[in-house]
Structures are given as C-alpha cells and as structure tokens.
Amino acid sequence: MEYLIQYGMFLAKAVTIVVAIVIVVGAIAASGNRQRKTGRKGQIKVTHLNEHFDDMKDTLRHSVLTKDQLKQVHKDEKKQAKLESKEQAKADKEAAKKPDGVAADASNPEQRKKRVYVINFTGNISADEVASLREEITAILTLAEPLDEVLLRLESPGGMVHAYGLASSQLLRIKNKKIPLTICVDKVAASGGYMMACLADRLVSAPFAIIGSIGVLVQLPNFHRVLKKNEVDYEIISAGEFKRALTQSGEITQKGRDKVQEEVETMHDIFKAWIKEHRPGVEIDKIATGETWVGTQAKERYMVDEIKTSDDCIVGACEEADVYEVEYELPKSLQDKIGGVFQGTVEKLFSNWIGKSTTNTFQ
C-alpha cells in the first residue's frame, strides 16, 4: 500500500512537471507568433576592422613590450603617418593642377582609399540566413563602387535548391554592379554552398575545407506497407498525372519513381551548367559526381583559386584598404533566446559525449 502511495505521488509530480512545461512552451510559442505577426525589423551593424585589429595589437604591445620599446614604436608610427600625410598632400596638389581641375577627395573614387566590405553567411538546409544576406547586400550596394570589394565568409553544407538559388541570386547583385567579389571558405562549401561559392571572382579555401558535392538528392520514408499491413486506407486526390509522384504514405509506382528520377537528372544538369558558367576552367563531368574534396584537392581541380584562411585575406586587406564588417541584426525574441540556450546545451552535451567516446582520429 505504501508503495502505491509513493508511486501515486511520483506520478502526480511527473504530470505536474509535464503540464508546466507544456504551458511554458505554449506561452513562448504564442509570444513568438505575436512578434512574427507584428514583424521584427533589424538594423545594420558596421565594425571597422582596421581599428579592431589595431586595438588588439596595442593591447598585446602594452603587455609584451618594455616602455622604451613601446615609446620607439609610437615614434616610428608617428613618423610614418607624417610621411604618408605629406605624400597625400603632394598628390592632392598635383591633381588640382591638372587641366580638369579634379581634386583628390572622397567623392572621386579614383583618389580615395579602397573599401572592403566583409559579410558572413552560415547556411542550414533552408538557407535561413538569406534574409540577413539580402539586407546586408542592399546596404552595401548603396555605397560600394567598382573600386571597392565585397568579401564573403561562407560556411554551408547545402540544402534546398530554391533556397540556395535565392542566396546565389543575391550574390549576382554584387557582380551585376561590377564590384569584385571574394568568397572565403574556412570549413565547408558543399552542394548549395558551392553553388554560391562558384560565383566568386576570387574563391579562397582553407587547406582542409570541404568543397564540392555537386549533386542533387531526393529522399523520403514511405509507410505504405505498414499502413497496408494494419489495414489502414490512405487516400490522396489530385489533378495532374504527376502532382504527387512520390508520397510518404501512398504506394510508390515505377512510373512515379522514373518521373522523380527524371526531375533529379534535369536539376543536376542545371546545377552543372551553373558551375560551368561561373567556373569555366573546371572539368564539370569529373567533379559533378556528388563527391567532396578538401581545399588542396579542390585547387588541383580548379574548383578554388587560392589556399588560405579568411583571416589571412581580411588581415591582408587591412594593409591596403579600409575594411568594414557589415551585419544585419534582428532583435531576438524570448523564444529565440530560450531556443538558443537549449540548443547550446544539447550541442555541448553531445560534444562532450563524442569527446569521451572517441580517441584520436589521426593515428
């Protein structure tokens, strides 16, 4: 009897906890829906990376150098800045003497310093970040000129065709304005990710980044035999012979399977033509097999142009240009924040589990 009482109390607690969780999740979902209905507008955030790197350098200097060494460094920098100022003044004076009287100023693109705009794209299966990408590109195109450059840090394993088609179309807006586009891949640009990457005027890859997967895939589970075994009827009413060639619950016919195969082959041909148009140097039939390669292998196949990290590209750009990182930030809802915490916790637990159960990979 005591056991039944304890079990009943345990069951009551469990039910209470489940109900509480359902109420909280429902409230969060409702809040998220309200915010989506009202519409959330973000804002553009701009970071001057030259200043960011200078601040990092100064912090390290003050920690590492002696006072005398630091004093000498500042003296040399002032001397160099004064020399550059004199050279610029001389160039402005000579420009003013020209017959057309064009002076060197910010409105003359031939006289001002080059600007590099850095944007980031981390893709998932539905390419959700395209919403931010389109805003960032729109902002940049209001000011950028052919003298400037856009540098995209791209990470994506690919996903849905229409989603990555839209993301690629956003990058075409940059090329249509004749603004040089550099794309850097540090980890992965596969499938739809490579569809975007091949648009670069200069495509840079880290040595072990994953490149390729030029293929098309359609997959879905089918429960028709399970339903048939349990005598469950499934009805689907449609107009058009191939409106539903494959479904999860209906019987798969050879005719339907052949139709989907035809569509997949057609999409693959379109994908290959896209790659060949923007990377004419590749042997498309050899690389469009669905395989992936690391960066160094991809360079041998002319799938990328250089082997280096995005950090090398950005730091190098800072030596000759003003470099700005442009981000479109959406205000996070309560739902987003809780979801982010939950996702981070799950990823950390999974990472710890993998770390404990896996030995060194390179042996």
Side-chain angles (χ1 to χ4, degrees), residues 109 112 117 134 136-150 168-181 199 201:
R112 70 168 174 81
Y117 300 96
R134 71 200 311 172
E136 291 161 359
I137 291 175
T138 297
I140 290 169
L141 293 183
T142 62
L143 189 63
E145 298 171 323
L147 168 67
D148 302 317
E149 179 183 353
V150 175
S168 299
S169 298
Q170 295 300 323
L171 300 184
L172 277 177
R173 296 171 61 199
I174 299 172
K175 296 177 69 69
N176 291 339
K177 290 289 187 178
K178 309 299 183 185
I179 298 170
L181 174 62
L199 286 166
D201 297 302

Side-chain angles (χ1 to χ4, degrees), residues 142-162:
T142 62
L143 189 63
E145 298 171 323
L147 168 67
D148 302 317
E149 179 183 353
V150 175
L151 189 152
L152 169 65
R153 287 191 287 201
L154 171 65
E155 304 296 341
S156 176
M160 293 185 289
V161 175
H162 64 279

